[in-house]
Amino acid sequence: MDASKKYAQVIVDVPSLQVNHHFDYAVPKEWQDIITVGMRVQVPFGVRQVLAYVVGFSDQTDFAGEVKPLAKLMDEAPVLTPELIALGNDMSRRLFTFQVLCYQAMLPSLLKVDYAKYFLPTASLTFENRQNYFADEHEIAWQEAEKQGSLSDLIALQKDDQVWVDYRMADRKQRKTEKWLQPLLDYDVLAQISRDMTRHAPKQQDLLAVLMDLDGQAIACSYLRQEFDLKMPTIRAGEKKGWLTVFEQEIDRNPYADLETEKSQAKSLYPQQEAAYQAVAQAMDAQQAQTLLLQGVTGSGKTEVYLQLIQHALDQGKTAILLVPEIALTPQMVTQLKGRFADQVAVLHSQLSRGEHFDEWTKLKKGQAKIAVGARSSIFAPLDKLGVIILDEEHETTYKQNTNPRYHARQVAKWRGAYHNCPVVLGSATPSLESRARAQNGLYQRLLMPERTNQQSLPQIDIVDMREEFQHKNYYQFSRQLRDAINATLDRGEQVALMLNRRGFANYMQCQDCGHVFQCPNCDVSLTHHYDSQSLQCHYCSYSQSLPQSCPKCRGKHLRSFGSGTEKVEQEIYDLFPGRTLVRMDNDTTRRKGSHQKILDQVANQEADILLGTQMIAKGLDFPNITLVGVINADTSLYLPDFRASERTFQLLTQVAGRAGRGDLTGQVIIQTFNPDHYALQFAQNHDYEGFYRWEMTYRKVNHYSPYYYSVRITVANFDEKTALRVANEIRQQLDQAQVPGTRIIGPSQSALTRLKNNYYFQILYQYRDWQSIQPVFDQIKDRAQEWDRDHIHVGIDLDPMTFI
Ligand SMILES: Nc1ncnc2c1ncn2[C@@H]1O[C@H](COP(=O)(O)OP(=O)(O)OP(=O)(O)O)[C@@H](O)[C@H]1O
Ligand SMILES: [Zn+2]
Ligand SMILES: [Zn+2]
C-alpha cells in the first residue's frame, strides 16, 4: 500500500461554492494503486455526491473532523496532466476566478455532458483475462464493473493496454466500431485441427489457413470477407470451436477523412523566412522559453515558417501547438498541415460533434497525434514535451475568452512555454499594440519579414470618399470607381473579393412616418432584419419576430430597413453586374459544417467571379486569381465604443487588402469610406504598420490605455436597475478605499448595452499598472461575488478585456 496516497486532495465542482482551496478525502485501499492526480472522482459533499478533480495526495490531513472516503472513480486515466493542474491553479489566481472553472475550460465538452463508459477488449487482451472479466460479453458497462467489484482490475488492465474505455453520449451517435477477430490457438494446434478435418468443410479449412497465417495477430473480419470470401457465419463457427474470438474494435471517426490533401514537401525557404526560422529553431535547440514576434507582411510566407518549425519539433521528438483565430475560417491552414503531417495532426474544430472532438483530444492525450491545431481552447491540448507553440494572427480578439475564465490564449501559451522550456511564436502582419510594444522593450524578440514571397510589392490602395458619391446622386453602395474596377477585373478573367464591414453593424428597421426603430423587448438593441427568413432578430438573446406590416406606434405602413447586410449588397451586385456569379460568405452561409470549405472551393476553381463576405474573408485566404479587393464600408468599426476601434480598423483593412495580388498578377484595393482622413485609413493605405503603431501609442499614452495602463472591467448585472447600481457603487467604494497607487477608476456607468437578456448592466473600468498591487482588493471582490451571485447579482471581473460592450 502506498502510504503517500492516504488522502486525496480534491477541488469540488459545485457552482454555488467556488473556492480555490481543496478538500481532503480518504482514498479506499483498493484504489491506491490506480488513482492518480488529474482523475475525476465523486465525493460526498453535504447531502449530495459531487464531481471533483484530484489535484494531489498526502499522508496526513489538517481537517479536524471525520474524513470521508472518495465515493466513486470517474476516469480510468487522468483527464488532466500535472502541468494542466498547476496551470489551472495559476490561472485562477491571475484572473481572479476559480480553479474548477479553469479545469472545465480545459476539458472536451463531451466530458461535461451525460455519457456512459464501457470497457472493451483490445487485441492484446489475454485469453485468461477475457474469460475472467468478459465471459460471453463483448463489453462491460462501467457501472456494472463497479457493482461487481472489478473496476480497479479493469482499470489496471486499461493501463496495460488490454482493454480500452469507450465514452458514449446518452443519445448521440456512438463511436463507430467494427468486428475484429483474435486467433486463440498456436500454429501447430491449428495445423493439427486442419489435418483432422473432413474435406467437406472447405470454408473452415480456408479459415484455419488464414488463422495459421495470422500467427496470433488480430485482424478485421471485413478483411477476411474481402480477401478470402470468409463471411461472419464461418467466423462465428470458428469462434464456437474455440479457434478465435470476435471483438469490437473502434474505428477512428476521422472528420477530415474526405479532405483531399495533396502531400506537400517542405519548400526551400527564402532568406527572410530562413532567418526567422533559424531564430526560433535556435531557441528550441537551446530549450529557451522565449517569446518571438514574427512580424511578416501579408503574403510573406509565415505559414511555411510555422510548418518547418513544427517539423523541427517533431525531429526533436517533441510536440507542437498551432493556434488559429477561428478554425472554421482557416480551412487552408488545416489542409496544409494535413498535407505536411497527415495523421500526426489532431484538429480541434468547433464544428465537430462532441464525440469527434473528444476523439481528436484523445489522440493527443495518448500521444497518437503530436500536433494540435485549433482555436483558443486548443492551447490546453493535453500534449507532453512541447517543442514550440505558435499563435497565428496573434492580434485577433478571439484569443481572449469573453466568459469565465476570461483567459487570453497568448498568456496561457507563455505559461506553457515556460513550463516546457520552449519558445512561443506570435505571428501577424499587424501585431497587437501590446505585443509590438513588448518587442520594443526587448521582452520579445522581433523577427521581420517585410517582403512578399511572390516578389511583388503590396497592392496599391485607393480610398474613395463616399460623401462625394452622394453629392453626385449615386445612391448605390458601390462608388463609380469601384464599379469600373470590378468590371475591368472581371473582363480580364480575374476575380474580386468584396468585404462588408459588419463589426458593430446591423440592419435595423425604421418607420418612415414617425421614426420608430424596432427594438428587442428584452435587450436595448435594435433588431436585425434577416432577409432570408423574413424576420427581425435580436443578435444578443435570439429573440425573433416575423416582419411587421405596420408601425406599432403610429400604425404607419412605410417601414424601411436601413443599413446593408450582405444580402442587400448581394442584390445590388445582381443589378449592377448582371451575369456574374457570386458567392456569399457570412455567418448565415457558413453555419453548416463543410459549407465554408465549399464556398472556398468555388472560389479556388474559379466557379465564382465575386466573393462577397464579412470580415471573415479578411483572414488567411490565399487565392492567386483574386486581384481586386473592395471594402464597401470601412467606417462601421471606427465607431465601436472601444479604445481599440482604430487598431481594429487598421488591422482589418490591412488584412483584407493583403488578399489581393498574391499570385503573379498585380493586386489592387479600393476602400470606400465617409472618413477618408482618419489616420487608421491613411496608415493602412500606405501599408505603414510602424507609422500606425507610433501614432496609436501616443493616443494610448495620453488616454491611459493599454499597453501603458492595463485595465480591469467589472460588470454588475441584475434585473433590478437600482440593485445593480447599488452593488456597483459598493464596489467602487471598495476600490477607492484600497487606494492602490497609480490606478484610475472610471464609473460605474451604464454599459453600452444597458439591458441585455433582461438585466441591467453597469460597469466600472479600473486602470492599473502592476498586477501584484491590485491583487488583494480584487481577491476580496472575487470572494464577495460568490455571495452576490446567490442573490442573482452577477459580478464579472474581466482582466484586460478585449471588448467593451
Ligand atoms: N519558401 C517558399 N517558396 C515558395 N513559395 C512559398 C514559400 N513560402 C511561402 N510560399 C507561398 O507564398 C504564399 C504566401 O504565403 P502565406 O500564405 O504563408 O503568407 P502569410 O505570411 O501567411 O500571409 P497572410 O498573413 O496574408 O496569411 C503562399 O502561396 C505560399 O505557398
Ligand atoms: Zn411609426
Ligand atoms: Zn434581445
Side-chain angles (χ1 to χ4, degrees), residues 477 498-508 528-532 537 539-540 562-569 584-589 591 612-617 631-638 640 652-653 805:
Q477 302 191 55
L498 297 173
M499 183 180 77
L500 185 69
N501 187 353
R502 296 249 299 195
R503 281 218 170 126
F505 192 83
N507 322 294
Y508 56 95
T528 301
H529 182 179
H530 278 242
Y531 292 78
D532 285 352
Q537 292 180 15
H539 280 190
Y540 289 93
F562 286 85
S564 51
T566 39
E567 293 117 324
K568 248 184 140 176
V569 179
R584 213 180 90 199
M585 192 156 101
D586 55 33
N587 279 328
D588 294 333
T589 62
R591 206 168 293 140
L612 167 66
T614 53
Q615 45 275 16
M616 223 178 243
I617 67 164
V631 178
I632 310 269
N633 57 336
D635 305 328
T636 51
S637 53
L638 283 176
L640 288 170
L652 186 59
L653 295 177
I805 30 174

XYZ file of all heavy atoms in Angstrom, residues 477 498-508 528-532 537 539-540 562-569 584-589 591 612-617 631-638 640 652-653 805:
432
model
N -24.389 51.340 -53.143
C -23.302 51.187 -52.182
C -21.976 50.989 -52.897
O -20.955 50.764 -52.270
C -23.583 50.008 -51.276
C -24.906 50.194 -50.568
C -25.100 49.210 -49.482
O -24.269 49.088 -48.589
N -26.190 48.481 -49.549
N -15.076 41.177 -52.131
C -15.687 42.381 -51.581
C -15.987 42.161 -50.117
O -16.589 41.159 -49.745
C -16.994 42.697 -52.313
C -16.869 43.024 -53.802
C -18.252 43.148 -54.431
C -16.070 44.312 -53.999
N -15.559 43.109 -49.293
C -15.819 42.957 -47.870
C -16.798 44.007 -47.375
O -16.661 45.197 -47.625
C -14.542 43.070 -47.044
C -14.848 42.826 -45.563
S -13.409 42.935 -44.496
C -13.189 44.700 -44.403
N -17.795 43.503 -46.672
C -18.733 44.372 -45.992
C -18.381 44.324 -44.526
O -18.451 43.275 -43.895
C -20.144 43.854 -46.223
C -21.253 44.710 -45.672
C -21.352 46.015 -46.449
C -22.572 43.955 -45.760
N -17.957 45.447 -43.996
C -17.512 45.510 -42.603
C -18.738 45.486 -41.706
O -19.515 46.427 -41.674
C -16.727 46.812 -42.426
C -16.074 46.924 -41.081
O -16.300 46.094 -40.211
N -15.259 47.944 -40.913
N -18.901 44.409 -40.977
C -20.106 44.291 -40.160
C -19.824 44.405 -38.683
O -20.695 44.148 -37.869
C -20.797 42.959 -40.439
C -21.280 42.862 -41.852
C -22.766 42.900 -41.875
N -23.304 41.777 -41.134
C -24.551 41.383 -41.216
N -25.384 42.016 -41.996
N -24.982 40.354 -40.523
N -18.578 44.758 -38.353
C -18.309 44.934 -36.927
C -19.164 46.063 -36.393
O -19.125 47.165 -36.912
C -16.833 45.267 -36.723
C -16.043 43.992 -36.806
C -14.932 43.952 -35.844
N -14.417 42.585 -35.859
C -13.162 42.273 -36.075
N -12.287 43.218 -36.236
N -12.784 41.028 -36.074
N -19.906 45.791 -35.345
C -20.725 46.822 -34.728
C -21.769 47.343 -35.673
O -22.051 48.529 -35.721
N -22.361 46.494 -36.447
C -23.199 46.936 -37.532
C -24.377 46.008 -37.705
O -24.261 44.815 -37.544
C -22.360 46.924 -38.803
C -23.010 47.626 -39.935
C -22.905 48.993 -40.047
C -23.729 46.921 -40.874
C -23.512 49.648 -41.096
C -24.329 47.582 -41.921
C -24.223 48.954 -42.034
N -25.525 46.549 -38.016
C -26.691 45.701 -38.262
C -27.683 46.437 -39.146
O -27.617 47.656 -39.301
C -27.359 45.326 -36.944
N -28.599 45.724 -39.742
C -29.673 46.371 -40.488
C -30.837 46.533 -39.552
O -31.375 45.555 -39.087
C -30.201 45.497 -41.618
C -29.100 44.766 -42.266
O -28.265 45.375 -42.876
N -29.091 43.452 -42.114
N -31.224 47.735 -39.321
C -32.343 47.934 -38.426
C -33.548 48.387 -39.232
O -33.420 48.874 -40.357
C -31.996 48.944 -37.340
C -31.535 50.279 -37.853
C -32.427 51.334 -37.996
C -30.212 50.477 -38.206
C -32.011 52.559 -38.459
C -29.786 51.700 -38.671
C -30.688 52.743 -38.800
O -30.269 53.961 -39.267
N -32.367 43.039 -35.897
C -31.736 42.961 -37.202
C -32.688 42.322 -38.209
O -33.315 41.305 -37.927
C -30.453 42.118 -37.100
O -29.601 42.737 -36.151
C -29.741 42.047 -38.425
N -32.766 42.974 -39.352
C -33.640 42.454 -40.407
C -32.927 41.321 -41.149
O -31.887 41.531 -41.734
C -33.965 43.604 -41.364
C -34.890 43.225 -42.468
N -35.320 44.105 -43.404
C -35.490 42.049 -42.766
C -36.133 43.505 -44.252
N -36.248 42.254 -43.886
N -33.513 40.123 -41.109
C -32.951 38.996 -41.840
C -33.764 38.747 -43.091
O -34.948 38.444 -43.032
C -32.931 37.736 -40.960
C -31.757 37.700 -40.041
N -30.790 36.736 -40.081
C -31.374 38.571 -39.080
C -29.876 36.988 -39.175
N -30.205 38.097 -38.542
N -33.104 38.881 -44.216
C -33.828 38.783 -45.481
C -34.212 37.344 -45.799
O -35.264 37.073 -46.365
C -32.987 39.375 -46.610
C -32.822 40.862 -46.460
C -31.913 41.391 -45.552
C -33.612 41.740 -47.182
C -31.778 42.752 -45.385
C -33.488 43.112 -47.029
C -32.565 43.610 -46.132
O -32.446 44.955 -45.970
N -33.333 36.409 -45.450
C -33.592 35.001 -45.765
C -34.895 34.521 -45.137
O -35.738 33.946 -45.800
C -32.453 34.111 -45.226
C -31.223 34.248 -46.090
O -31.339 34.902 -47.146
O -30.157 33.703 -45.711
N -34.587 39.869 -35.889
C -33.978 39.036 -34.851
C -33.067 39.858 -33.957
O -32.458 40.826 -34.401
C -33.145 37.916 -35.489
C -33.999 36.899 -36.213
C -33.177 35.797 -36.836
O -32.006 35.627 -36.501
N -33.777 35.067 -37.752
N -29.617 39.838 -31.977
C -28.371 39.078 -32.033
C -27.820 38.731 -30.657
O -26.871 37.994 -30.537
C -27.329 39.843 -32.841
C -27.531 39.681 -34.305
N -26.626 40.088 -35.238
C -28.551 39.132 -34.998
C -27.073 39.810 -36.452
N -28.247 39.244 -36.328
N -28.429 39.326 -29.635
C -27.914 39.045 -28.298
C -28.667 37.937 -27.590
O -28.084 37.066 -26.981
C -27.908 40.325 -27.461
C -26.856 41.275 -27.946
C -27.157 42.257 -28.873
C -25.548 41.127 -27.533
C -26.180 43.098 -29.365
C -24.564 41.957 -28.010
C -24.884 42.943 -28.925
O -23.912 43.760 -29.398
N -32.744 49.900 -42.818
C -31.541 50.664 -43.090
C -30.308 49.791 -42.864
O -30.394 48.753 -42.234
C -31.468 51.878 -42.160
C -32.420 52.947 -42.550
C -33.731 52.888 -42.111
C -32.013 53.975 -43.372
C -34.620 53.882 -42.478
C -32.906 54.963 -43.729
C -34.225 54.920 -43.289
N -29.229 50.308 -43.307
C -28.008 49.531 -43.159
C -27.884 48.619 -44.356
O -28.728 48.617 -45.249
N -26.826 47.862 -44.392
C -26.662 46.994 -45.540
C -26.067 45.676 -45.107
O -24.888 45.559 -44.869
C -25.776 47.644 -46.578
O -24.604 48.088 -45.965
N -26.888 44.699 -45.031
C -26.413 43.349 -44.779
C -25.838 42.819 -46.074
O -25.986 43.430 -47.135
N -25.173 41.686 -45.983
C -24.610 41.112 -47.207
C -25.702 40.800 -48.223
O -25.493 40.919 -49.417
C -23.824 39.831 -46.912
O -24.494 39.075 -45.938
C -22.425 40.150 -46.433
N -26.901 40.437 -47.715
C -27.969 40.113 -48.663
C -28.323 41.316 -49.521
O -28.611 41.198 -50.704
C -29.231 39.657 -47.918
C -29.084 38.339 -47.206
C -29.251 38.506 -45.727
O -28.797 39.558 -45.217
O -29.819 37.617 -45.083
N -28.324 42.477 -48.898
C -28.695 43.680 -49.633
C -27.646 44.033 -50.677
O -27.967 44.403 -51.802
C -28.841 44.838 -48.650
C -30.265 45.289 -48.524
C -30.325 46.472 -47.629
C -31.312 47.492 -48.156
N -31.433 48.609 -47.203
N -26.379 43.906 -50.281
C -25.314 44.179 -51.236
C -25.381 43.165 -52.366
O -25.179 43.494 -53.541
C -23.940 44.122 -50.537
C -22.833 44.391 -51.527
C -23.879 45.122 -49.406
N -21.454 34.133 -51.465
C -21.552 34.953 -50.268
C -20.994 34.183 -49.089
O -21.272 32.996 -48.939
C -23.032 35.234 -50.017
C -23.340 36.563 -49.416
C -24.838 36.654 -49.238
N -25.205 36.154 -47.940
C -26.434 35.761 -47.627
N -27.386 35.769 -48.532
N -26.690 35.338 -46.411
N -20.198 34.850 -48.293
C -19.628 34.171 -47.131
C -19.847 35.029 -45.886
O -19.226 36.073 -45.720
C -18.133 33.953 -47.358
C -17.508 33.031 -46.366
S -16.038 32.290 -47.060
C -14.795 33.265 -46.321
N -20.774 34.593 -45.056
C -21.012 35.291 -43.789
C -21.533 34.261 -42.795
O -21.613 33.077 -43.110
C -21.990 36.453 -43.975
C -23.291 36.008 -44.606
O -23.721 34.870 -44.345
O -23.881 36.784 -45.376
N -21.905 34.730 -41.618
C -22.347 33.771 -40.597
C -23.531 32.932 -41.044
O -23.683 31.789 -40.631
C -22.730 34.517 -39.318
C -21.499 34.844 -38.513
O -20.533 34.085 -38.545
N -21.510 35.961 -37.828
N -24.385 33.527 -41.897
C -25.571 32.787 -42.311
C -25.242 31.672 -43.297
O -25.862 30.629 -43.291
C -26.598 33.727 -42.948
C -27.145 34.704 -41.923
O -27.148 34.354 -40.726
O -27.553 35.805 -42.317
N -24.271 31.915 -44.173
C -24.000 30.911 -45.209
C -22.956 29.885 -44.785
O -22.719 28.924 -45.497
C -23.515 31.570 -46.524
O -22.288 32.251 -46.262
C -24.546 32.530 -47.075
N -22.783 28.480 -41.561
C -23.078 27.839 -40.292
C -22.983 26.329 -40.391
O -22.586 25.663 -39.453
C -24.466 28.262 -39.811
C -24.608 28.179 -38.312
C -25.866 28.877 -37.831
N -25.821 30.313 -38.023
C -26.875 31.036 -38.441
N -27.991 30.463 -38.728
N -26.758 32.346 -38.573
N -18.249 37.694 -51.933
C -18.734 38.760 -51.070
C -18.804 38.231 -49.648
O -19.394 37.183 -49.406
C -20.137 39.202 -51.523
C -20.910 40.096 -50.548
C -20.243 41.453 -50.392
C -22.354 40.268 -51.009
N -18.181 38.943 -48.719
C -18.214 38.405 -47.361
C -18.069 39.474 -46.303
O -17.837 40.648 -46.591
N -18.205 39.049 -45.073
C -17.960 39.920 -43.938
C -16.464 39.888 -43.638
O -15.678 39.366 -44.431
C -18.724 39.410 -42.711
O -18.378 38.046 -42.533
C -20.216 39.517 -42.930
N -16.070 40.361 -42.476
C -14.636 40.376 -42.135
C -14.029 38.980 -42.160
O -12.824 38.807 -42.130
C -14.369 41.052 -40.794
C -15.272 40.672 -39.663
C -16.560 41.491 -39.639
O -16.912 42.133 -40.621
N -17.262 41.441 -38.526
N -14.912 37.981 -42.193
C -14.494 36.599 -42.362
C -13.519 36.387 -43.521
O -12.681 35.509 -43.480
C -15.760 35.833 -42.705
C -15.945 34.542 -42.048
S -17.538 33.912 -42.585
C -18.372 33.863 -41.035
N -13.674 37.165 -44.590
C -12.829 36.921 -45.764
C -11.473 37.596 -45.635
O -10.611 37.444 -46.484
C -13.499 37.395 -47.076
C -13.639 38.919 -47.101
C -14.847 36.725 -47.280
C -13.911 39.455 -48.493
N -13.512 47.253 -50.307
C -14.126 47.343 -48.981
C -15.315 48.274 -49.129
O -15.162 49.462 -49.450
C -13.138 47.898 -47.935
C -13.821 48.033 -46.582
C -11.918 46.994 -47.838
N -16.523 47.740 -48.934
C -17.743 48.517 -49.192
C -17.868 49.664 -48.197
O -18.199 50.773 -48.553
C -18.988 47.612 -49.067
C -18.796 46.347 -49.891
C -20.263 48.378 -49.404
C -19.276 46.389 -51.281
N -17.617 49.376 -46.932
C -17.760 50.411 -45.894
C -16.675 50.224 -44.853
O -16.706 49.288 -44.077
C -19.135 50.308 -45.239
C -19.376 48.941 -44.654
O -18.766 47.959 -45.090
N -20.236 48.859 -43.673
N -15.722 51.104 -44.833
C -14.604 50.948 -43.899
C -14.957 51.490 -42.519
O -14.269 51.228 -41.551
C -13.381 51.664 -44.434
N -16.050 52.230 -42.410
C -16.243 53.067 -41.229
C -16.805 52.411 -39.993
O -16.496 52.824 -38.887
C -17.185 54.225 -41.570
C -16.670 54.988 -42.745
O -15.446 55.055 -42.897
O -17.490 55.495 -43.506
N -17.702 51.424 -40.184
C -18.504 50.987 -39.042
C -17.655 50.632 -37.836
O -18.012 50.951 -36.709
C -19.375 49.788 -39.411
O -18.544 48.820 -40.013
C -20.473 50.191 -40.354
N -16.512 50.000 -38.069
C -15.721 49.559 -36.928
C -15.001 50.717 -36.240
O -14.463 50.560 -35.154
C -14.715 48.492 -37.361
O -13.954 48.968 -38.434
N -14.981 51.881 -36.887
C -14.323 53.035 -36.260
C -15.113 53.546 -35.070
O -14.576 54.228 -34.214
C -14.177 54.178 -37.266
C -13.085 54.058 -38.306
C -13.170 55.230 -39.275
C -11.717 54.009 -37.652
N -17.003 51.796 -32.793
C -17.304 50.913 -31.678
C -16.964 51.647 -30.388
O -16.000 52.408 -30.347
C -16.448 49.636 -31.769
C -16.830 48.656 -32.856
C -15.750 47.589 -32.964
C -18.168 48.030 -32.554
N -7.995 45.255 -39.775
C -8.944 44.664 -40.704
C -8.644 45.096 -42.139
O -8.611 44.269 -43.059
C -10.356 45.088 -40.301
C -11.509 44.466 -41.062
C -11.477 42.953 -40.917
C -12.836 45.018 -40.534
N -8.396 46.380 -42.325
C -8.143 46.876 -43.677
C -6.835 46.311 -44.221
O -6.739 45.928 -45.390
C -8.123 48.405 -43.687
C -9.461 49.067 -43.337
C -9.320 50.582 -43.310
C -10.551 48.653 -44.333
N -18.417 46.068 -24.969
C -19.883 46.037 -24.958
C -20.357 44.709 -24.413
O -19.661 43.752 -24.427
C -20.536 46.252 -26.350
C -19.628 45.726 -27.466
C -20.840 47.696 -26.536
C -20.271 45.778 -28.808
